[in-house]
């Protein structure tokens, strides 16, 4: 994980911390309220990848300082952080339906989860179902954590060459560019 540290002012470091929290919260994969924020940081990379973490990791220190001290972007990030706090602290279906539940965490084991194209650890149907179930559990407040595999080489991407033949491309999943933490 990139840590700009002393390369940023104290104010910019606070901004970095806020942006890091937002980029590592995969809720942006299905709640697109933050898309405009990421698009303003690195527009071309955001358009190509829709990976908030890669956008944040790729921005230069100069650009990070600009965005972390820009009043408009700071206000946007602060609003997103507040929205995230409200989302995490809200009264959920699970809390209302099971107020005295001793359940603190349920492990959901799957070989793949389709949460976002930015986290390519899925191939199709199983990943789609597992990802949708995790997203719904999050929105309902069900204490579920997905446990799966972090494939070093994701599933192949198909390209068609000039002769019309399929080419299988196996992209490398660089953990530093994926929106994950150990």
């Amino acid at each position: 994980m990139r840590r700009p540290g002393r390369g940023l002012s104290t104010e910019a470091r606070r901004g970095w911390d806020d942006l890091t929290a937002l980029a590592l919260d995969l809720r942006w994969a299905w709640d697109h309220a933050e898309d405009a924020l990421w698009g303003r940081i690195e527009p071309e990379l955001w358009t190509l990848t829709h990976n908030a973490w890669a956008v944040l990791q790729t921005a230069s220190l100069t650009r990070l300082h600009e965005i972390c001290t820009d009043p408009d972007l700071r206000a946007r990030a602060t609003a997103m952080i507040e929205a995230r706090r409200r989302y995490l602290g809200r009264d959920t279906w699970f809390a209302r339906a099971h107020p005295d539940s001793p359940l603190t965490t349920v492990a959901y084991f799957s070989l793949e989860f389709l949460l976002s194209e930015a986290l390519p650890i899925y191939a199709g149907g199983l990943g789609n179902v597992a990802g949708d179930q995790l997203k719904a559990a999050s929105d309902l407040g069900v204490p579920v954590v997905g446990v799966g595999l972090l494939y070093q080489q994701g599933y192949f991407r198909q390209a068609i060459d000039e002769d019309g033949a399929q080419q299988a491309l196996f992209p490398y999943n660089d953990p530093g560019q994926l929106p994950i933490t150990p």
Side-chain angles (χ1 to χ4, degrees):
M1 179 190 298
R2 177 178 174 180
R3 302 224 184 260
R6 61 183 173 193
L8 295 176
S9 67
T10 302
E11 177 188 5
R13 272 197 300 273
R14 278 194 299 273
W16 166 263
D17 291 343
D18 286 349
L19 290 173
T20 296
L22 291 172
L24 291 174
D25 181 347
L26 282 179
R27 191 167 50 102
W28 55 258
W30 67 95
D31 176 356
H32 297 281
E34 297 168 18
D35 288 2
L37 175 67
W38 303 116
R40 285 197 49 201
I41 296 171
E42 292 289 342
E44 187 175 340
L45 184 59
W46 175 251
T47 300
L48 289 172
T49 67
H50 285 86
N51 181 340
W53 186 243
V55 166
L56 197 55
Q57 294 297 301
T58 305
S60 69
L61 281 178
T62 302
R63 182 68 181 134
L64 285 175
H65 192 272
E66 288 172 8
I67 62 174
C68 290
T69 56
D70 176 89
D72 181 48
L73 284 174
R74 287 291 305 133
R76 244 192 156 114
T78 300
M80 293 294 123
I81 286 290
E82 186 52 39
R84 180 176 181 263
R85 277 193 199 101
R86 282 192 308 273
Y87 177 83
L88 294 174
R90 76 200 185 290
D91 184 31
T92 65
W93 168 85
F94 185 80
R96 287 188 310 275
H98 306 284
D100 299 321
S101 176
L103 185 65
T104 58
T105 306
V106 174
Y108 182 165
F109 292 88
S110 181
L111 293 175
E112 53 188 78
F113 293 97
L114 192 170
L115 297 171
S116 166
E117 290 179 19
L119 187 57
I121 55 171
Y122 60 89
L126 173 66
N128 193 33
V129 169
D132 283 351
Q133 288 175 343
L134 283 183
K135 292 170 189 176
S138 175
D139 288 342
L140 293 170
V142 179
V144 175
V145 61
V147 179
L149 301 172
L150 179 58
Y151 300 101
Q152 189 170 48
Q153 280 194 317
Y155 293 101
F156 79 89
R157 301 288 188 254
Q158 176 179 298
I160 306 298
D161 67 18
E162 61 275 355
D163 297 324
Q166 175 183 306
Q167 300 296 313
L169 308 170
F170 292 89
Y172 172 73
N173 284 335
D174 178 359
Q177 293 296 311
L178 299 176
I180 58 172
T181 55

